[in-house]
Amino acid sequence: MDTDQLIRSLAADNTHRAPRVGAVLTMALLVAAPLSILVFATFLGVRPDVMTAMHNPFFDMKFAVTLSLAIPAIIVSLHLSRPEALLRGWGWLLLLPVGLLAVAIGSEAMMAPAMPMTMRLMGKNSRVCLVAIPAMSLPLLAGALFGLRHGAPSRPALAGALAGLVSAGLAATLYASHCTDDSPLFVATWYTLATAVVTAIGAAVGAKVLRY
């Protein structure tokens, strides 16, 4: 038997196929999501005036921003799960929420202010935001890291940071339905700080658990 035939025979005998990273990541996030939802339902819950708030475009904007972070972060993290992948050419996707916030802040600035800028910036829930988003992110972060372990990222800290962005974006989407601060200034400040905390945790943990 020559070498080529031997390779073909071995390949034919190996019927086991490792699951795709995307499938594992999806399942891991679906398994982790109920834990985050449980934290949300137990300690927060949907704001009581949600039906009225849905008529406020800045309330809807919060979900656009959080999902425009989570979804591109998933796409980029799957791309970086391959050993040869580079961030170049993909990083612009992560700027989508920045662009949305810039437009929203500009739109709010052109409107007659309902309250002073300082009050819009600080809001009423800044401390809750800084605790709630990271707390709800942790189960999702564990799931995201588990899913990405089935890949082979050449930059594990960066991949871990992307896992943090995924989990923070999804957790912030949950939190947005509770938060009564709808100003884009509040979102740009406090949601961003909470996301930075989760991203830093993901980078630190990912540097260890995603190394191969």
Side-chain angles (χ1 to χ4, degrees):
M1 180 181 295
D2 61 27
T3 303
D4 290 340
Q5 185 177 354
L6 175 62
I7 293 173
R8 286 193 294 270
S9 299
L10 292 174
D13 291 338
N14 184 17
T15 58
H16 175 73
R17 293 291 184 272
R20 292 181 177 275
V21 179
V24 177
L25 177 61
T26 300
M27 289 303 300
L29 290 174
L30 289 175
V31 169
L35 296 176
S36 297
I37 294 172
L38 179 62
V39 173
F40 173 78
T42 302
F43 297 102
L44 298 173
V46 176
R47 59 191 281 180
D49 65 339
V50 65
M51 297 306 294
T52 303
M54 289 174 65
H55 298 287
N56 178 2
F58 291 131
F59 174 77
D60 301 330
M61 174 275 306
K62 293 190 296 185
F63 297 93
V65 169
T66 57
L67 289 175
S68 70
L69 171 65
I71 295 173
I74 291 173
I75 295 171
V76 177
S77 65
L78 289 175
H79 168 70
L80 290 179
S81 67
R82 298 178 299 172
E84 76 282 2
L86 298 174
L87 186 59
R88 187 184 308 116
W90 292 78
W92 68 269
L93 290 171
L94 303 176
L95 297 177
L96 290 176
V98 178
L100 286 177
L101 278 173
V103 171
I105 291 172
S107 299
E108 188 182 42
M110 291 187 293
M111 298 171 61
M115 62 180 69
M117 187 177 69
T118 302
M119 292 183 63
R120 284 183 279 137
L121 176 66
M122 297 304 299
K124 300 177 181 178
N125 300 281
S126 56
R127 292 183 181 180
V128 177
C129 179
L130 287 177
V131 174
I133 291 178
M136 291 188 293
S137 295
L138 291 179
L140 294 165
L141 177 59
L145 291 171
F146 176 82
L148 293 178
R149 272 183 60 85
H150 285 71
S154 58
R155 301 175 66 182
L158 179 58
L162 265 297
L165 289 177
V166 171
S167 56
L170 295 174
T173 302
L174 270 178
Y175 177 72
S177 65
H178 166 81
C179 182
T180 56
D181 293 303
D182 298 328
S183 171
L185 282 173
F186 181 91
V187 175
T189 303
W190 302 104
Y191 282 48
T192 300
L193 287 174
T195 298
V197 170
V198 181
T199 303
I201 295 172
V205 178
K208 296 181 180 179
V209 303
L210 298 180
R211 190 178 301 278
Y212 67 94

